[in-house]
Structure formats: structure tokens, C-alpha cells
Amino acid sequence: MFSPASPTRDGLAGLPARLRALPPSCGPVRLVAIDGHAGSGKSTLAGRLSAALDGAPVVRLDDLASHDAFFDWTGRLTTGVLDPLTRGEPAEYPAYDWERRAFAGTVSVPPAPVVLLEGVGAGRRALRPHLAFLVWLAVSAETAWARGRRRDGPEQAGFWREWVAAERRHFAEDPSRPHADILMTPRGDTYEARA
């Protein structure tokens, strides 16, 4: 659980070793969640952390969500990812194609020592018993959403209106930030961390 402390200027320094040293939380796997508002940089952090962990697999919640169910993906995650990893088996699940608006293709994830779970809601109540560690990307909702809108362009304005309302409801009912083990704020090419 997060408690305020002095910030660390390079939040990635030492974090991979810290994650590797954790006890497994999901079968033989240390499941590490990266949560935060849409547009906050979770995918970027997951990529950097994966590289620092010698290619740790990343489960992207965008692959499990859909236009019809922005946050109703816990069942798919449990069946396709958590249950197999708990048994020490590879996870396999269909990935949602946001342009085609359909599930297409399959993602496979080995039961590696560390598996990253990245996306809005990754630290939700139903998942916390399976997590070894929870990272909250500390970027304000307004800043993150503005970044996301710039990234996606004006043609996605309707989507963003629906998304913002859904995300607000989700975090009002099931906040992740208070349960984070570490808060990380992007600062140029590095991260300021509070643990």
C-alpha cells in the first residue's frame, strides 16, 4: 500500500531488481500491474520496464476490453491469463481490434518470473489478490486525457467523451491509486517515484 515518502529522482533505478525479489503472486509469476488514467504513459512505462526486465511479457488490457465493455474484462482476464498463469501454464487470449471492433488474433504469454499487466484498471479490487506489486502512473486525469486526445486525433472525439465518463465512474467505484506500492511521475526521460 502506498505511503508518502521522499521522491526518488530515477524511479526505474533499482525497480527491476526489487520486482524480481518479490515472492510470486500468481502461481510462479510475479504479476506487476501498471495503472493510471488513459493517456498517462502506461504503455511507455511498461515497455521500458519490460526491457529492463530482459523482455518480461506485457498483458495489455486494451486487448481484453472492447467498445461494448470498456471495463467489463475481468472474466476474460481471469480465464485467459490469471487461471493459466496460476497453474504455471502459458496464458492465451483473443485480442480486441479497436479499428475493426472485433476480437481478432490471439496473444500468448509465458509464465515468466515477472509478467506486466498494463492498462486502466489494472489495480482493480478483483485483481489485487493476484498482484505482487502495483504501480500508479501519477499524471492528473486532465493532463492524461489531453495527451490521449492529441494522440488519437479529432476523429476519436466521440470515443473520448464516452471513455472519460466510463473512466470517472470506474475509479469512483474502484480506485487503484490508494493501493499502489509506488507512484511514478514521468519527468522527461526518467520517472520520479514515491514509495
Side-chain angles (χ1 to χ4, degrees):
M1 196 145 182
F2 170 73
S3 59
S6 298
T8 302
R9 292 305 291 165
D10 185 0
L12 284 179
L15 186 56
R18 183 177 174 190
L19 297 177
R20 285 186 186 106
L22 293 169
S25 59
C26 186
V29 170
R30 291 147 190 87
L31 189 61
V32 176
I34 301 172
D35 203 343
H37 298 289
S40 61
K42 296 176 302 302
S43 296
T44 300
L45 176 57
R48 292 188 64 192
L49 198 48
S50 172
L53 288 162
D54 303 317
V58 179
V59 175
R60 300 191 186 282
L61 293 178
D62 282 353
D63 289 342
L64 294 158
S66 71
H67 282 91
D68 297 326
F70 289 156
F71 291 99
D72 188 20
W73 41 255
T74 304
R76 280 192 292 279
L77 180 72
T78 299
T79 302
V81 178
L82 300 180
D83 289 350
L85 292 181
T86 297
R87 295 189 300 266
E89 299 170 358
E92 193 168 284
Y93 55 93
Y96 188 71
D97 184 321
W98 287 86
E99 291 180 14
R100 291 184 189 170
R101 293 178 168 249
F103 285 93
T106 302
V107 176
S108 296
V109 176
V114 177
V115 173
L116 304 173
L117 177 65
E118 174 270 316
V120 179
R124 64 174 33 175
R125 183 181 305 111
L127 303 185
R128 287 196 290 269
H130 303 280
L131 300 179
F133 199 83
L134 172 56
V135 177
W136 176 265
L137 208 44
V139 175
S140 75
E142 293 73 22
T143 299
W145 295 335
R147 288 179 186 171
R149 286 182 179 110
R150 278 193 305 275
R151 175 194 66 205
D152 294 345
E155 61 275 1
Q156 295 296 325
F159 167 81
W160 272 96
R161 278 191 297 278
E162 290 180 42
W163 174 267
V164 166
E167 186 180 309
R168 279 191 173 125
R169 278 192 307 274
H170 169 73
F171 282 131
E173 295 167 5
D174 192 356
S176 300
R177 182 180 173 151
H179 303 280
D181 295 293
I182 193 169
L183 302 183
M184 298 187 74
T185 305
R187 302 283 187 224
D189 289 337
T190 189
Y191 295 85
E192 181 180 282
R194 288 181 178 268

